[in-house]
Amino acid sequence: MKLVIGNQNYSTWSMRPWLFAAYHGLEIEIEKLSLNNLPVIKKRFAHGKVPVLIDGSLEIWDSMAILQYLSETYPDTRGWPQEAHARAVAQSVSAEMHSSFQALRRELPMNCRKYFPDYQLSNTAIEDVKRIQQIWNLCREQYGGGGPWLFGRFGIADSMYAPVVMRFRSMDIKLDRVSQEYCFTVCECAAVKKWLAEASSETEIVDEDELDHPSVVLS
Ligand SMILES: N[C@@H](CCC(=O)N[C@@H](CS)C(=O)NCC(=O)O)C(=O)O
């Protein structure tokens, strides 16, 4: 199996399945394509985006479908909670991440290498940040008893929200206590640290994902 991803510093959608595979130590080859060279991605894949998972003759595009496939192919990973209510909520919050938070995406592009002090958000982006904290509080308080992740053990929902944690980290977004603790869990995870180390070792700049705001390079 091979997972084709974009630049690790910027590619939020790539981070999601990559993290799930890395957390579980799945033996999957990684191929990286530059987001500065979209014609190559568009020539290679009909929908013209990354990530893509290749399993023999099968190509799976879209992060959610890839996560679902990995979880089914490696059942020990248990991507979704076993209990039906928890699973329905995990699928709801993951789908919400996949389909919503446009202001957050626009105003807080992922840039793992950088820290942006005094970054000001619009009211719409502030509403997105509030909703995400509400989701994290709901998951942690009602379903997170078995461990530090959204549903206790690490799952697809955590993979979906990990890039949001990276955005909050770069923009130093002020969060409530439960959300801060959850961000700490994500940032301390060995697989996330590996992603950050690999993102830091990249030198390529993708101009359209760079913010016009003073920044500090994170070590
Ligand atoms: N819905 C897709 C989104 C994938 C996506 O937008 N990927 C970005 C990189 S993070 C991309 O390939 N952009 C290239 C383009 O839009 O031309 C998913 O969940 O995988």
Side-chain angles (χ1 to χ4, degrees):
M1 244 189 251
K2 182 200 271 190
L3 180 65
V4 185
I5 62 171
N7 305 57
Q8 287 172 272
N9 191 52
Y10 305 103
S11 183
T12 55
W13 296 111
S14 300
M15 183 182 186
R16 295 174 167 112
W18 182 99
L19 180 60
F20 191 81
Y23 182 92
H24 290 292
L26 307 182
E27 284 197 17
I28 293 179
E29 185 190 341
I30 304 292
E31 180 185 353
K32 211 187 285 192
L33 296 180
S34 167
L35 293 173
N36 272 331
N37 204 348
L38 293 180
V40 168
I41 299 178
K42 296 195 186 310
K43 194 167 167 209
R44 185 99 172 259
F45 304 115
H47 77 310
K49 295 184 196 309
V50 284
V52 177
L53 184 72
I54 302 171
D55 189 10
S57 60
L58 176 65
E59 271 182 12
I60 306 161
W61 66 98
D62 200 286
S63 52
M64 279 288 277
I66 297 171
L67 285 161
Q68 182 69 33
Y69 187 79
L70 290 176
S71 157
E72 286 169 16
T73 307
Y74 301 97
D76 288 349
T77 59
R78 285 163 49 196
W80 299 118
Q82 276 174 316
E83 196 275 316
H85 286 198
R87 186 166 62 251
V89 174
Q91 290 174 343
S92 297
V93 300
S94 299
E96 187 171 344
M97 178 67 249
H98 199 242
S99 62
S100 312
F101 309 124
Q102 309 307 340
L104 177 112
R105 289 196 183 134
R106 202 172 41 249
E107 293 178 35
L108 291 85
M110 186 168 86
N111 192 331
C112 297
R113 288 193 291 256
K114 286 190 178 168
Y115 172 66
F116 299 89
D118 304 319
Y119 190 66
Q120 300 300 317
L121 300 183
S122 69
N123 287 340
T124 330
I126 290 171
E127 287 308 309
D128 282 353
V129 173
K130 278 190 195 154
R131 173 63 189 149
I132 287 167
Q133 292 183 87
Q134 193 180 45
I135 289 171
W136 288 352
N137 274 264
L138 167 83
C139 299
R140 289 291 306 133
E141 280 162 18
Q142 291 195 25
Y143 305 100
W149 298 97
L150 291 177
F151 293 84
R153 49 175 283 147
F154 175 86
I156 288 177
D158 300 293
S159 301
M160 289 303 289
Y161 281 91
V164 176
V165 174
M166 300 300 104
R167 293 165 140 130
F168 288 175
R169 167 183 172 266
S170 280
M171 276 71 178
D172 197 19
I173 304 296
K174 302 291 174 259
L175 301 171
D176 63 43
R177 184 187 51 80
V178 170
S179 302
Q180 280 175 37
E181 285 170 6
Y182 178 63
C183 289
F184 182 78
T185 296
V186 173
C187 291
E188 284 305 297
C189 165
V192 171
K193 286 185 174 175
K194 184 168 191 277
W195 175 274
L196 288 173
E198 291 178 14
S200 292
S201 71
E202 291 174 348
T203 50
E204 195 178 9
I205 306 287
V206 177
D207 284 333
E208 89 180 44
D209 284 328
E210 287 289 333
L211 282 175
D212 185 16
H213 187 84
S215 64
V216 177
V217 175
L218 289 165
S219 53

